[in-house]
Amino acid sequence: MTAAPISLFSSFIHLDQDGRVHAAQPVFDAERDGWQLMTFHVETDADVHGDHWEIHTEADELVSCLAGGIRLYFRPEQPGAEGEEVRLAAGTATIVPRGRWHRIALDGPSDIMSVTLPRGSRLQKRTEA
């Protein structure tokens, strides 16, 4: 195998359980085994499915803001409880715990990187404004 540059914005990086690492088409497969690194340039909240909550049931997720600024919202864990907000500036990251509903909102155009195990991930349409 010959080493070659990989565009992180046009590929997902698969970290397979057998130790192999390879680039692939940027398709999120909620049935896929192995970790996945995803990098996105986003312009609007629609680019980060801001109208949905997201959950990863099999693993934590690392969410990093590479450029710009984002807000990560966590849905309240109990009815009547307050949700949480984490602001990420360029060069910062946070860990979304396994099984925690979350969503992203943008402060402006941004570059985002995330790493998670896609298996078991789901989206749920937001009902609140």
Side-chain angles (χ1 to χ4, degrees):
M1 179 177 122
T2 302
I6 299 167
S7 171
L8 295 177
F9 292 100
S10 59
S11 302
F12 284 176
I13 306 301
H14 296 277
L15 308 159
D16 294 336
Q17 292 180 354
D18 66 2
R20 290 186 327 118
V21 176
H22 60 95
Q25 291 295 314
V27 176
F28 191 88
D29 178 2
E31 300 303 315
R32 187 181 187 300
D33 285 328
W35 290 81
Q36 187 163 272
L37 180 141
M38 301 157 284
T39 307
F40 307 96
H41 176 75
V42 291
E43 297 277 335
T44 69
D45 287 347
D47 294 334
V48 290
H49 51 75
D51 60 343
H52 284 76
W53 290 104
E54 178 178 42
I55 192 169
H56 307 286
T57 59
E58 300 294 320
D60 296 343
E61 178 182 28
L62 175 75
V63 176
S64 176
C65 179
L66 302 176
I70 66 173
R71 288 164 278 130
L72 196 66
Y73 292 98
F74 293 92
R75 184 158 52 177
E77 294 188 89
Q78 303 295 327
E82 291 289 318
E84 297 173 55
E85 176 185 342
V86 175
R87 289 187 171 272
L88 296 179
T92 63
T94 192
I95 297 170
V96 177
R98 171 192 326 222
R100 188 75 194 268
W101 288 99
H102 60 285
R103 66 181 180 86
I104 294 175
L106 305 180
D107 292 335
S110 300
D111 293 337
I112 301 170
M113 180 182 287
S114 69
V115 180
T116 194
L117 185 68
R119 188 180 61 245
S121 298
R122 301 191 316 269
L123 292 175
Q124 184 178 78
K125 183 80 170 164
R126 287 177 51 207
T127 57
E128 76 284 357

